[in-house]
Amino acid sequence: MATEPSAIPHISVVVPVFNEQGAAAELAREIAVAFQGVAHEIVFVDDASSDETVQRLSALRTALPQLRILSHGRNAGQSRAIRTGVLAARAPIIMTLDGDGQNDPADGPRLVRRLMDAPVALAMVGGRRAKRQDSAAKRIGSRLANGLRRRLLRDQAEDTGCGLKAFRRDAFLRLPYFDHMHRFLPALFLREGFDIEFEDVGHRPRTTGQSKYTNFGRLRASVLDLLGVLWLRARTRDSAGAREI
């Protein structure tokens, strides 16, 4: 049964996609089922796909009136797609997940509830993939990168690469934007003085399409980005809060 879009949704689910024609439509249906009974919108951001991702999503508009589709004019990367979705979102709480179908949307409401029940100081509840369904090489590369990042940034995150996250829109928009920032959200939220928490979530094998990253490509970008985030941290000055007088 179709869910009528709310004038003011409580949750905006933001999904960046690039050449995911085999996964996107089914993922949209799963998200709708996971949030059935909750005022929500589903915002897919297509990062200039060259396949039929947009067409297959567009075919769902009648069945899923809460579905919105934004499209980049040229490929700008996952972080820009997430930011595009958050800027367009109408709800104060954002949930993100990867567009390849490996994140299980059924885990999303649990993260969202934990965030909504918490004080506003908690800006993000991040997913932590309990049993990753990736190749051994990808798991090893991710483990090494996560270990180095956690040691240097002290960001509490064991799995910052998990796309499943719930966070407050206003807190996210206070963060500095740069390419690949989505991999450093825990450190960036902490830098702004917010709290973050994590929960175990499921992870599914990729059944269609192909990964957009390689270990070498990710490592090269991560080292440069890590240096940048370290610089941002070093340049942070704490105001000890502000009050109106």
Side-chain angles (χ1 to χ4, degrees), residues 77-216:
Q78 187 172 350
S79 285
R80 174 57 73 179
I82 291 172
R83 183 171 174 80
T84 294
V86 174
L87 286 169
R90 297 180 296 145
I93 300 295
I94 307 292
M95 191 192 87
T96 63
L97 68 165
D98 291 337
D100 56 15
Q102 288 194 262
N103 297 139
D104 188 347
D107 288 320
R110 176 163 46 88
L111 271 60
V112 167
R113 283 193 298 271
R114 181 167 174 177
L115 180 64
M116 295 181 74
D117 291 343
V120 294
L122 181 66
M124 185 192 80
V125 178
R128 182 174 50 222
R129 292 167 289 189
K131 295 181 179 179
R132 287 191 61 175
Q133 302 298 311
D134 289 319
S135 67
K138 195 170 182 179
R139 292 197 305 270
I140 292 170
S142 181
R143 190 178 303 121
L144 292 173
N146 275 314
L148 176 63
R149 187 211 67 259
R150 188 169 63 251
R151 189 174 303 114
L152 293 177
L153 296 182
R154 301 187 297 278
D155 63 3
Q156 309 171 22
E158 298 176 12
D159 183 17
T160 191
C162 180
L164 189 58
K165 297 179 175 72
F167 53 80
R168 302 186 191 277
R169 181 178 182 271
D170 60 347
F172 177 89
L173 293 177
R174 289 171 58 174
L175 306 182
Y177 169 77
F178 54 90
D179 198 16
H180 304 134
M181 70 170 287
H182 67 281
R183 295 190 174 277
F184 295 90
L185 288 182
L188 295 174
F189 278 123
L190 289 173
R191 175 180 178 268
E192 286 293 325
F194 292 109
D195 297 327
I196 57 174
E197 295 179 358
F198 299 90
E199 279 201 19
D200 286 345
V201 296
H203 193 238
R204 307 185 293 196
R206 177 184 266 277
T207 59
T208 181
Q210 59 183 7
S211 175
K212 310 304 185 294
Y213 303 99
T214 64
N215 273 346
F216 178 76

